[in-house]
């Protein structure tokens, strides 16, 4: 904390002692009158005090974790914009307004049996997944060099609200935004901030929404401007890994077997498969059984049956498969700072095979991988 000479009163609730310490973040943002009498009062007030840092159109950005040992060149650029509002008439999942953002439904579910949806539930999943694809396409059309990931979050949030849906990531275990944007060495769960996308970046946009009692979940990695050949190969290979796994889906297939197809193709192309994060069941809950690892020789349980709906979402790294998490407790990055790519679809098991619920629409933008 920075020390100053002029004396003020402590901003900690219930304390009016003379204060000569100022919050260092407030100093950077030129926010006045944010003084504390001691480190103890500052720490005790942090949960409430940090809200003053959420400002629109900041004059300057900053790295909120200056002492953190980042694995690659990417840095977070704060402050985050304020939490975006969802109209009161839009139905919410159980965690939307819950303290800590925990889903009681998911917690009560635990490791219960994989749910097979009936015809009515499947139709609702088709609707929400189609809307998810529409929103992903809206975000894709907005991508350009110079746009901030926070602006992508605004676009996604507004497109979701326009469809009378709730953005599933918002407040899910306190995630602060309506979309995940994962740039370069970020594997997944990147928090949209003030950083502008640069020529040569790759960015994954992960869309999730809740409508009529059901969640959709899908994502795609995009090129920003002129991307190097190795990044193109990484993204192309990741998409191929997803497709190889999808083509295996049919009744009777073990969920654990998908990882072998994914890892085999990734390794053939010189890449590795992230092991920390998996595909999952999706529907009435954001995350449920089955658990679907993307690497070989995993111990996932369960066999595919008609009516099962789940995501396959391989995360493929240029270098080592291990990951680290930033101090925001969400952003997962490669341990060596090399790039990572991901693609995700929600899949329905049919009587004879599969249906990709989040697939391309006739109006979807042309794929950047088409001519690779």
């Amino acid at each position: 904390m920075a020390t100053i000479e002029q004396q003020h009163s402590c901003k900690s609730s219930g304390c009016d002692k003379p204060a000569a310490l100022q919050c260092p973040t407030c100093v950077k943002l030129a926010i006045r009158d944010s003084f504390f009498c001691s480190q103890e009062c500052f720490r005790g007030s942090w949960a409430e005090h940090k809200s003053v840092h959420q400002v629109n159109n900041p004059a300057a950005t900053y790295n909120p974790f200056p002492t953190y040992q980042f694995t690659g060149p990417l840095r977070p650029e704060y402050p985050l914009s304020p939490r975006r509002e969802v109209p009161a008439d839009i139905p919410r999942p159980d965690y939307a307004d819950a303290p800590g953002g925990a889903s009681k439904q998911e917690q009560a579910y635990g490791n219960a049996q994989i749910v097979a949806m009936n015809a009515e539930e499947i139709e609702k999943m088709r609707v929400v997944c189609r809307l998810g694809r529409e929103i992903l396409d809206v975000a894709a059309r907005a991508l350009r060099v110079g746009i901030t990931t926070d602006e992508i979050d605004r676009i996604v949030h507004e497109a979701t609200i326009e469809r009378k849906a709730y953005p599933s990531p918002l407040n899910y275990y306190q995630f602060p935004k309506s979309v995940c944007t994962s740039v370069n060495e970020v594997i997944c769960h990147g928090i949209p901030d003030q950083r502008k996308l640069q020529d040569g970046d790759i960015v994954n946009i992960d869309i999730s929404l809740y409508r009529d009692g059901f969640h959709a979940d899908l994502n795609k990695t995009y090129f920003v401007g002129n991307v190097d050949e190795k990044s193109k190969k990484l993204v192309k290979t990741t998409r191929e890994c997803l497709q190889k796994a999808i083509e295996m889906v049919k009744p009777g297939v073990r969920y654990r077997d998908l990882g072998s197809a994914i890892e085999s193709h990734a390794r053939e192309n010189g890449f590795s498969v992230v092991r920390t994060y998996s595909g999952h069941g999706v529907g009435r809950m954001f995350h449920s059984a089955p658990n679907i690892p993307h690497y070989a020789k995993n111990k996932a349980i369960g066999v595919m049956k008609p009516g099962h709906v789940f995501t396959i979402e391989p995360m493929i790294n240029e270098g080592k498969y291990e990951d680290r998490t930033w101090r925001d407790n969400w952003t997962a990055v490669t341990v060596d700072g090399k790039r990572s790519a991901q693609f995700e679809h929600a899949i329905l098991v049919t009587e004879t095979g599969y249906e990709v619920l989040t697939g391309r629409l006739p109006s979807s933008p042309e794929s950047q991988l088409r001519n690779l």
Side-chain angles (χ1 to χ4, degrees), residues 37-232:
C37 66
S38 65
Q39 292 282 356
E40 289 72 23
C41 269
F42 176 66
R43 287 194 292 267
S45 301
W46 178 249
E48 179 180 357
H49 172 71
K50 66 181 180 181
S51 64
V52 306
H53 303 151
Q54 312 293 301
V55 297
N56 282 313
N57 301 317
T61 60
Y62 65 94
N63 173 6
F65 316 120
T67 62
Y68 180 76
Q69 297 297 308
F70 291 91
T71 63
L74 192 72
R75 297 292 183 273
E77 292 194 19
Y78 278 42
L80 301 182
S81 58
R83 174 171 167 169
R84 304 190 195 279
E85 297 296 324
V86 177
D89 64 332
I90 291 179
R92 291 156 158 73
D94 66 342
Y95 57 81
D97 301 307
S103 170
K104 291 184 178 180
Q105 186 180 15
E106 289 185 4
Q107 291 176 341
Y109 176 81
N111 293 318
Q113 187 175 5
I114 303 168
V115 173
M117 296 189 187
N118 60 37
E120 181 181 357
E121 292 170 324
I122 289 171
E123 188 55 36
K124 288 184 177 181
M125 280 300 296
R126 288 191 177 109
V127 171
V128 71
C129 286
R130 186 186 70 248
L131 294 177
R133 185 68 201 210
E134 289 178 5
I135 295 166
L136 179 63
D137 291 346
V138 169
R141 293 187 186 98
L143 274 179
R144 66 181 187 280
V145 173
I147 192 172
T148 66
T149 50
D150 182 69
E151 178 68 5
I152 295 171
D153 180 72
R154 182 192 65 78
I155 290 167
V156 168
H157 183 89
E158 292 179 357
T160 305
I161 299 308
E162 287 172 4
R163 289 160 176 78
K164 301 299 180 182
Y166 181 92
S168 299
L170 189 60
N171 200 50
Y172 184 70
Y173 290 95
Q174 297 186 311
F175 190 82
K177 295 297 177 180
S178 297
V179 66
C180 297
T181 52
S182 300
V183 180
N184 297 341
E185 69 263 30
V186 178
I187 295 169
C188 60
H189 303 157
I191 297 175
D193 62 15
Q194 307 301 331
R195 182 185 180 275
K196 294 179 180 179
L197 293 179
Q198 300 173 9
D199 187 51
D201 283 346
I202 60 173
V203 58
N204 179 274
I205 300 177
D206 194 340
I207 301 294
S208 308
L209 65 153
Y210 176 81
R211 187 178 185 274
D212 201 15
F214 289 83
H215 294 271
D217 197 5
L218 70 156
N219 72 52
K220 184 174 180 177
T221 300
Y222 296 92
F223 304 138
V224 182
N226 302 296
V227 176
D228 64 79
E229 291 303 316
K230 189 169 185 180
S231 294
K232 289 179 180 179

Side-chain angles (χ1 to χ4, degrees), residues 110-114 253-257 288-293 298-304 308:
N111 293 318
Q113 187 175 5
I114 303 168
V253 172
R254 298 184 303 177
Y255 283 106
R256 69 178 62 178
D257 293 339
S288 62
N291 180 58
I292 305 172
N298 66 78
K299 299 184 184 301
I301 60 174
V303 174
M304 298 177 194
H308 287 185

